[in-house]
Amino acid sequence: QVQLVESGGGLVQPGGSLRLSCAASSNIFSLTSMGWYRQAPGKERELVAGIIFSGRTNYADSVKGRFTISRDGAKNTMDLQMNNLKPEDTAVYYCNADWPAAGRTYWGQGTQVTVSS
């Protein structure tokens, strides 16, 4: 069973930056599509940024130009650099890996990001 562990969340002021990291227990990133999701209280979980095996990325309109997703298969890590954070970015952020060839989907435990003055 693959485990994903997020880190890097915390409290930051509006306009500040955070870097989230997702570490996998095995080398699966080259086999999967990856993404960062977030969920605020009372809201549905939404895709923030995704990256597929080719390296192609996509972002939610609300974070374009502010967030950058990256993946390092050699290190089994995936990061989300978040700049110019806004209060509406406050949510629990989850790491996701989808491995359709194996019929598996993996989720991390989530890390809290709070943007407040």
Side-chain angles (χ1 to χ4, degrees):
Q1 183 70 206
V2 174
Q3 293 179 306
L4 303 176
V5 180
E6 303 97 333
S7 62
L11 175 65
V12 65
Q13 293 184 326
S17 298
L18 285 173
R19 188 175 184 90
L20 305 183
S21 183
C22 173
S25 60
S26 60
N27 187 11
I28 64 165
F29 286 11
S30 64
L31 305 174
T32 64
S33 59
M34 308 287 297
W36 285 97
Y37 290 73
R38 68 186 181 188
Q39 187 168 22
K43 303 290 186 179
E44 295 183 349
R45 188 171 298 186
E46 64 173 344
L47 176 66
V48 177
I51 184 168
I52 64 174
F53 66 92
S54 67
R56 178 166 58 88
T57 60
N58 64 280
Y59 298 90
D61 288 342
S62 60
V63 308
K64 287 180 179 177
R66 299 188 297 119
F67 291 10
T68 302
I69 188 171
S70 60
R71 183 175 67 181
D72 189 332
K75 298 180 180 179
N76 297 332
T77 58
M78 180 181 67
D79 291 352
L80 183 69
Q81 178 65 46
M82 305 186 295
N83 298 326
N84 192 24
L85 283 160
K86 303 176 180 180
E88 52 262 44
D89 295 319
T90 296
V92 177
Y93 284 70
Y94 296 91
C95 175
N96 168 267
D98 187 64
W99 191 359
R104 316 298 293 196
T105 299
Y106 304 100
W107 291 93
Q109 83 287 352
T111 185
Q112 177 71 47
V113 172
T114 302
V115 185
S116 176
S117 60

